[in-house]
């Protein structure tokens, strides 16, 4: 018996007369009047199906073929032959066919027609069996591998930061609390919850970012990165926000903001270049079926330098433009997605790194500029998606940081260990966070971030 071959291997390197064992799920079956059938077999290894020809040579052909329907799983031993048909180099002529698992054609939800992404979201357990979601899964895998390789090649250490935390990195208070207390019961007897009685002895949450812990390692073992799930309880029902998303956060000692920008830019350019070279078939599909500008956009990003522009100049530029925005542009406010998209899609037509944001709209850890009004923040904006990276140079001065924590309404005592990093051998340092699902949006052209993660968590939605 031959060993199992993935469809991708068969299609790429299978030779005529070779005997193969293939397994997977049936996409379609067509019966010819001349006593044989064509089955399109997909096993997720690539976009293309393997055409399997089944005829009377297969024991019990007439009976078996009846149960072969879209969605069922089969195992086939067969011989490869050059395909006379268009669209494939090679096909498989079955010698034996086992139906491993049936799929009732009356109820199987994925039929040949195109389904809306909204509908597919309701069947997230079956959507990876479609062309689009198979391709997204492969691209997501390629991007994750590229992320690790990018940092590993540069000598960055991969560190794992905690998911349960007692600090609020972004200081926005948008955290999911973690407790073993019976809050419903407690609410009947006390108005204030006593978290000293809780599992961790104080109020704990799911992390919004691994940055603060990454800084501990950056200021001890050097360049490092953390890559994991992060959680935000912001009630934003947009096409760019998830309650649970994956973020990669590098942190580098002795980097200033300009070094940080250079690394971020190289990072995004590398991801675009690698996804084009690792997933050509899937990328062709996205360009044809999802958004016919993705290939051009990725090429453009991979080849050209990003624009670097202070926030203040961006606000002036937006205020002077003829474009009618829904939200007015005003210094001191966060830019809206429409402003970010105008800059990248219409004005510059390429990624833009904005920096030196007003201190009032950015977290406590960013380094204060001498103007007293801005901090060394940077956001990398890309076409269609807007902000894809947020980062900064960190405040390394103990006195300034302590003051900033207080100014942000937090208690320096709660951040004693973070302040210790400035008390003992402080160094200038910087880092950034890249949202993985926003990258997937960028490279695939998918418009809704809920389709860029296998099982999206959003307000009122945590099925699967
Ligand atoms: O700009 P953010 O909030 O930055 C941080 O969390 C820093 N601690 C990062 C750092 O400097 N180490 O988030 C970084 C990125 C955003 O640019 C965006 O790509 C993504 O994370 N992101 C989200 N992605 C999906 N859903 C959400 N709700 C997101 N919030 C942020
Ligand atoms: Mg941000």
């Amino acid at each position: 018996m031959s060993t199992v071959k993935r469809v991708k291997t068969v299609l790429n390197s299978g030779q005529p007369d070779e005997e193969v064992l293939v397994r997977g799920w049936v996409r379609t079956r067509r019966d010819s009047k001349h006593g044989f059938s064509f089955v399109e077999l997909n096993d997720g290894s690539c976009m293309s199906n393997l055409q399997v020809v089944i005829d009377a040579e297969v024991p019990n052909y007439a009976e078996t073929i009846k149960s072969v329907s879209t969605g069922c799983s089969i195992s086939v031993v067969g011989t490869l032959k050059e395909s006379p048909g268009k669209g494939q180099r090679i096909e498989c002529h079955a010698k034996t066919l086992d139906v491993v698992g049936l799929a009732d054609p009356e109820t199987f939800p994925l039929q040949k027609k195109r389904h809306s992404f909204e509908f597919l979201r309701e069947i997230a357990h079956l959507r990876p069996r479609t062309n689009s979601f198979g391709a997204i899964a492969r691209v997501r895998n390629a991007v994750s591998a590229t992320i690790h390789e990018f940092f590993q090649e540069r000598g960055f250490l991969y560190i794992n930061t905690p998911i349960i935390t007692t600090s609020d990195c972004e200081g926005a208070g948008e955290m999911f609390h973690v407790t073993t207390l019976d809050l419903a019961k407690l609410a009947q007897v006390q108005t204030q919850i006593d978290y000293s009685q809780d599992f961790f002895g104080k109020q704990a949450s799911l992390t919004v970012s691994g940055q603060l812990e990454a800084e501990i390692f950056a200021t001890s073992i050097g360049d490092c990165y953390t890559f994991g799930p992060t959680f935000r309880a912001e009630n934003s029902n947009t096409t760019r926000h998830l309650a649970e998303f994956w973020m990669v956060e590098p942190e580098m000692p002795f980097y200033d903001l300009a070094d940080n920008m250079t690394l971020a830019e190289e990072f995004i350019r590398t991801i675009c270049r690698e996804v084009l070279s690792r997933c050509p078939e899937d990328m062709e599909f996205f360009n044809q079926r999802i958004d016919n500008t993705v290939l051009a956009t990725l090429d453009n990003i991979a080849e050209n330098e990003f624009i670097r522009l202070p926030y203040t100049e961006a606000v002036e530029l937006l205020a002077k433009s003829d474009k009618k925005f829904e939200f007015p542009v005003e210094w001191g406010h966060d830019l809206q997605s429409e402003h970010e998209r105008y800059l990248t899609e219409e004005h510059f037509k390429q990624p833009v790194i904005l920096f030196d944001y007003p201190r009032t709209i950015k977290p406590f850890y960013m380094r204060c500029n001498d103007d007293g009004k801005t901090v060394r923040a940077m956001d990398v904006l890309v076409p269609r998606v807007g902000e894809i990276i947020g980062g900064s140079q960190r405040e390394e001065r103990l006195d300034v940081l302590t003051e900033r924590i207080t100014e942000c309404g937090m208690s320096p005592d709660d951040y004693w260990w973070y302040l210790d990093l400035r008390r003992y051998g402080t160094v200038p340092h910087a880092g950034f966070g890249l949202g993985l699902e926003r990258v997937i949006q960028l490279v695939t052209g998918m418009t809704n971030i809920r389709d860029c993660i296998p099982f999206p968590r959003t307000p009122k939605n945590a099925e699967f």
Side-chain angles (χ1 to χ4, degrees):
M1 178 66 115
S2 34
T3 52
V4 183
K5 277 246 161 86
R6 306 280 331 244
V7 166
K8 183 180 182 181
T9 314
V10 172
L11 292 176
N12 284 343
S13 55
Q15 292 304 319
D17 300 328
E18 190 182 334
E19 191 185 273
V20 294
L21 164 61
V22 285
R23 293 168 177 170
W25 291 266
V26 170
R27 285 293 174 82
T28 56
R29 180 190 111 203
R30 273 185 302 127
D31 299 323
S32 140
K33 286 193 286 285
H34 309 291
F36 59 93
S37 306
F38 293 110
V39 163
E40 295 290 328
L41 177 79
N42 191 287
D43 68 356
S45 58
C46 61
M47 170 79 56
S48 301
N49 303 319
L50 175 63
Q51 174 159 288
V52 183
V53 183
I54 302 162
D55 61 19
E57 203 192 320
V58 169
N60 212 8
Y61 164 70
E63 251 328 285
T64 316
I65 198 70
K66 280 191 218 151
S67 59
V68 174
S69 61
T70 300
C72 80
S73 50
I74 58 170
S75 178
V76 175
V77 175
T79 312
L80 300 183
K81 300 231 164 97
E82 264 172 46
S83 178
K86 267 205 267 167
Q88 67 262 328
R89 180 182 67 89
I90 208 137
E91 63 188 22
C92 177
H93 288 244
K95 285 186 180 163
T96 64
L97 163 70
D98 289 314
V99 179
V100 181
L102 297 170
D104 181 0
E106 295 296 313
T107 56
F108 184 61
L110 292 174
Q111 295 306 328
K112 185 95 176 97
K113 66 174 182 123
R114 258 214 234 184
H115 298 287
S116 73
F117 291 127
E118 288 76 18
F119 170 70
L120 291 174
R121 244 168 260 149
E122 290 167 15
I123 50 165
H125 59 307
L126 294 173
R127 67 179 186 172
R129 296 199 201 175
T130 63
N131 283 338
S132 303
F133 287 89
I136 294 165
R138 287 185 295 271
V139 163
R140 193 177 158 108
N141 171 68
V143 170
S144 299
T146 300
I147 287 171
H148 280 293
E149 284 165 31
F150 178 88
F151 289 117
Q152 292 295 325
E153 281 165 11
R154 286 164 178 76
F156 282 58
L157 230 65
Y158 172 44
I159 54 163
N160 301 116
T161 49
I163 287 173
I164 298 175
T165 167
T166 55
S167 45
D168 180 1
C169 175
E170 297 309 301
E174 292 167 331
M175 307 186 72
F176 290 102
H177 296 303
V178 174
T179 182
T180 49
L181 295 175
D182 185 342
L183 297 179
K185 206 161 134 200
L186 283 178
Q188 295 170 354
V189 288
Q190 55 193 81
T191 47
Q192 277 263 307
I193 305 292
D194 178 10
Y195 284 101
S196 69
Q197 302 302 311
D198 204 352
F199 190 93
F200 296 107
K202 59 204 271 200
Q203 194 168 23
S205 309
L206 296 180
T207 188
V208 295
S209 159
Q211 176 197 322
L212 303 187
E213 290 87 357
E215 284 186 51
I216 295 178
F217 277 79
T219 54
S220 48
I221 50 94
D223 296 343
C224 63
Y225 67 106
T226 169
F227 187 9
T230 47
F231 308 85
R232 299 207 180 166
E234 44 189 344
N235 200 0
S236 24
N237 255 307
T238 78
T239 54
R240 306 180 320 131
H241 288 89
L242 291 164
E244 174 177 315
F245 62 98
W246 282 65
M247 182 155 56
V248 51
E249 297 180 272
E251 191 69 33
M252 296 76 63
F254 308 107
Y255 267 50
D256 64 12
L257 194 68
D259 301 326
N260 207 25
M261 288 184 202
T262 303
L263 185 74
E265 179 171 343
E266 209 178 308
F267 184 40
I268 292 182
R269 291 232 294 268
T270 303
I271 291 174
C272 292
R273 213 178 303 118
E274 286 299 313
V275 83
L276 288 170
S277 92
R278 291 179 195 212
C279 305
E281 189 189 25
D282 293 325
M283 289 309 303
E284 196 57 52
F285 171 86
F286 291 123
N287 205 58
Q288 272 177 21
R289 302 286 286 269
I290 305 295
D291 176 346
N292 63 12
T293 65
V294 278
L295 289 180
T297 302
L298 296 200
D299 274 333
N300 181 26
I301 294 177
E303 299 310 322
N304 296 298
E305 280 192 10
F306 295 5
I307 304 287
R308 297 182 186 189
L309 190 72
Y311 163 92
T312 302
E313 284 178 35
V315 168
E316 286 163 9
L317 191 158
L318 289 162
K320 270 192 270 161
S321 89
D322 300 328
K323 181 98 180 169
K324 284 273 161 290
F325 294 113
E326 191 187 334
F327 297 93
V329 195
E330 207 183 324
W331 199 97
H333 290 262
D334 242 335
L335 295 187
Q336 298 291 325
S337 156
E338 56 174 342
H339 307 136
E340 298 175 346
R341 294 188 57 167
Y342 171 78
L343 292 174
T344 55
E345 289 167 30
E346 295 179 47
H347 190 82
F348 293 111
K349 296 189 167 55
Q350 67 190 92
V352 179
I353 308 181
L354 296 186
F355 62 96
D356 286 350
Y357 278 74
R359 63 194 273 164
T360 48
I361 57 169
K362 290 291 182 188
F364 67 93
Y365 55 72
M366 297 186 176
R367 194 178 199 283
C368 293
N369 283 317
D370 293 341
D371 63 11
K373 290 191 304 200
T374 60
V375 288
R376 300 247 82 187
M378 64 174 209
D379 276 5
V380 182
L381 316 178
V382 294
R384 274 200 340 267
V385 177
E387 179 194 337
I388 199 163
I389 279 182
S392 67
Q393 186 174 332
R394 318 307 189 190
E395 183 55 74
E396 85 285 11
R397 297 163 294 185
L398 179 64
D399 52 340
V400 182
L401 182 59
T402 311
E403 207 177 296
R404 266 293 276 167
I405 289 178
T406 310
E407 179 185 306
C408 291
M410 298 151 63
S411 159
D413 289 345
D414 291 340
Y415 291 84
W416 64 273
W417 53 268
Y418 189 68
L419 290 164
D420 264 3
L421 305 179
R422 281 71 182 167
R423 212 167 262 130
Y424 308 117
T426 192
V427 288
H429 61 289
F432 60 82
L434 170 84
L436 179 62
E437 290 73 23
R438 296 219 181 145
V439 178
I440 304 304
Q441 278 192 285
L442 170 71
V443 301
T444 61
M446 296 294 292
T447 50
N448 196 319
I449 197 164
R450 295 165 197 216
D451 300 325
C452 297
I453 186 166
F455 307 104
R457 268 80 181 100
T458 51
K460 306 274 179 291
N461 176 32
E463 192 70 45
F464 309 105

